Amino acid sequence: MEVEYLRQGVPLADYQLTKADHRRQEEAVEAHEWVQRHLAKAPPWSEERWEQMRGLLGSPSPAREYQRWRLRLYCGHIVEAARPRTAPRPDEGMCNNEACSQCGLDPSVIVAFEPLGSLSDPPPKERQQRPGRSPHKPRVDRRSRAELAAENAALRAELEALRHQT
């Protein structure tokens, strides 16, 4: 199934916040605070319970199942994130906001976005290699920030779903 990925507010740097963006940010903050208050009341999990959760979550999905996106957040920063390839927009479902890695605003709603390509595709080369120089070989033992972010988002979504089951 081929998904047609949408764009909104391009170019991202020129996007102007709307009243709807302000309202969505207020709602996201209220929901986040509500969750934090209830989590603070919950008893801590034992290491055994965490191990059970890790077993339920299983191994992370492969990178080819994620789409890379460039996002403009409510705070004004532009970041990259990964979302499941099945959604035409990065702000559908439970992932309509991000914690900004630049200023720390958490949550910061997504106000504009553009697709970048599959997480498994290498990012476009910024500059061409000069003749006579060997290309830099990336270390294979390190995962990219986008892969870690995608894995983190998937685990958080699964954890949230499990919390609603109990």
Side-chain angles (χ1 to χ4, degrees):
M1 172 177 88
E2 189 63 33
V3 176
E4 183 177 336
Y5 298 108
L6 304 175
R7 299 172 182 271
Q8 177 179 308
V10 178
L12 302 183
D14 296 337
Y15 184 82
Q16 298 294 312
L17 293 174
T18 65
K19 287 182 182 180
D21 294 331
H22 293 294
R23 185 184 71 249
R24 287 178 38 238
Q25 178 66 22
E26 288 175 14
E27 291 169 354
V29 168
E30 288 172 6
H32 182 76
E33 289 171 350
W34 182 89
V35 168
Q36 294 303 314
R37 280 193 308 272
H38 287 277
L39 285 176
K41 296 175 189 174
W45 278 10
S46 66
E47 188 57 37
E48 180 181 318
R49 184 81 187 253
W50 281 110
E51 286 301 319
Q52 289 174 338
M53 182 60 67
R54 288 182 195 103
L56 287 172
L57 294 175
S59 59
S61 300
R64 69 179 176 274
E65 293 183 17
Y66 290 93
Q67 171 73 13
R68 288 183 321 119
W69 293 89
R70 182 172 292 124
L71 309 174
R72 166 80 183 246
L73 302 178
Y74 178 82
C75 60
H77 292 114
I78 297 173
V79 299
E80 281 191 24
R83 297 288 192 268
R85 292 189 66 99
T86 55
R89 302 171 54 102
D91 57 354
E92 285 187 347
M94 294 173 47
C95 295
N96 63 354
N97 59 57
E98 285 281 312
C100 182
S101 58
Q102 297 175 31
C103 71
L105 182 61
D106 184 15
S108 186
V109 295
I110 299 168
V111 296
F113 52 84
E114 63 183 340
L116 296 176
S118 172
L119 186 59
S120 61
D121 294 342
K125 292 191 177 183
E126 302 272 280
R127 57 184 177 164
Q128 293 296 325
Q129 189 68 25
R130 291 186 196 145
R133 295 184 126 189
S134 62
H136 173 70
K137 294 182 182 176
R139 292 178 54 175
V140 292
D141 60 334
R142 297 190 64 188
R143 293 190 293 173
S144 72
R145 180 180 228 162
E147 287 173 318
L148 292 171
E151 179 182 348
N152 188 0
L155 290 172
R156 286 180 184 270
E158 288 182 44
L159 181 59
E160 191 65 31
L162 288 169
R163 282 186 180 146
H164 289 294
Q165 289 178 357
T166 58

